[in-house]
Amino acid sequence: MRILITGGAGFIGSNFVHYIYNNRPDYHITVLDKLTYAGNLKNIEGLSKDRVNFIKGDICDQSLVEEIVSKVEAVIHFAAESHNDNSLSNPWPFIQTNIVGTYTILEAVKKFDKRLHHISTDEVYGDLELNDPNKFTNTTPYNPSSPYSSSKASSDMLVRAWVRSFKVKATISNCSNNYGPYQHVEKFIPRQITEILEGRKPKLYGNGQNVRDWIHTEDHSSAVLTILEKGTIGETYLIGARGEKNNQQVIELILELMNKPTNYYERVNDRPGHDLRYAIDASKLINELHWQAKYTDFRSGLKSVINWYTKNEAWWKPDKHKTEAKYKELGR
Ligand code: NAD
Ligand code: DAU
């Protein structure tokens, strides 16, 4: 089996590369990644060149994408601009990569009749009230809030249209917030861990009551592989692991695990349009494809991620200063 993983040098994509490498020895992996600020070749170093081939390039480059897609059997499409705060400062790369890039991938899989799995997010559904008993399901209407989430919603719509109109063999997954190794220091959990490691206080947006539904990135990988191998073409699967926590709870747990007083954090400006709550109902994936999350203990998952950032300062340090300078300008 020859597969193309777009965005395989980013956080979730590189974890998926490792997951496939370790669990499917008969798969040959090609990674296509532009190596934006979020891509890092160190995330996939040390893997055998016989099994993993890296190509630096843009998913919007039609001839490059066609050349690669023609030689593989399936495409797992992770590449995206992924950070909400960045999308509020400059939406253009989100429109280009997330929409035009997905269109380019779709045209290539259509031309060569290849299998596609499109990676999306729960943010396409907008947000929920804190006391809403309902969670997101694959019939929840799309209602995205930010330039990032609306560009991902657009990409999902394109995939659905290409499935219906051109019989493209695609599936979609919408996953909740991931945590794990190799996540860029701009994101919530790595930012707080590295702030503490650098002797500063964690930064909580607004009142800190916003809820995210945390899943370990390895569980995201196992779910994507399950859908790739057992999913029904044209279907959408929601991926989540019952990990709802508000941001204040997460910061307090990080502080406790790092032996700091649990009130050692500061409140900073809120994110404009900040989604209140995400929550995933993954029962379709669990009941129809028999997937199960493995990392259901958030405390021990978080502890191992704290250990990873503590041991891998050389990995995150080069991005830290620039990232904090951007946040400082925003008062966040
Ligand atoms: P990331 O920002 O860490 O990585 C994105 C990768 O895509 C980087 O390696 C980057 O270099 C590459 N890339 C960006 N533009 C490109 C282009 N034009 N051509 C080729 N490569 C390009 O993102 P992530 O957090 O790993 O997210 C991966 C995917 O998962 C995205 O599609 C995102 O929407 C989705 N997702 C993320 C989360 C999360 O919690 N982070 C949750 C659900 C879904
Ligand atoms: O739900 C899936 C989405 O999760 C993915 O589609 C996105 O790619 C991914 O970035 C993530 O989006 P969020 O906006 O939820 O993640 P982020 O890590 O930016 O923030 C998580 C929460 O923490 C959010 O409520 C904002 C808050 N926050 C964030 C930062 C960076 C803080 O309170 N302080 C911070 O310093």
Side-chain angles (χ1 to χ4, degrees), residues 128-130 204-212 244-249 252 265 267 270 274-278:
L128 298 163
E129 292 300 327
L130 294 180
L204 187 62
Y205 288 1
N207 66 11
Q209 296 313 293
N210 306 65
V211 172
R212 296 295 181 265
E244 281 188 67
K245 300 259 176 308
N246 75 38
N247 296 335
Q248 184 175 343
Q249 290 170 320
E252 286 175 355
Y265 61 86
R267 292 181 190 273
D270 207 352
H274 196 174
D275 279 342
L276 184 55
R277 174 176 164 233
Y278 306 140

Side-chain angles (χ1 to χ4, degrees), residues 2 8 19 22 48 88 90 133 236 245 249:
R2 301 182 76 84
Y19 188 81
N22 294 328
S48 160
L88 295 162
N90 179 17
T236 291
K245 300 259 176 308
Q249 290 170 320

Side-chain angles (χ1 to χ4, degrees), residues 10-12 33-34 36 39 58-59 78 82 97 120 148 152 178:
F11 162 48
I12 304 175
D33 197 297
K34 190 176 169 183
T36 66
D58 193 328
I59 55 164
F78 290 89
S82 69
T97 287
S120 192
Y148 162 67
K152 292 296 291 187
N178 284 220

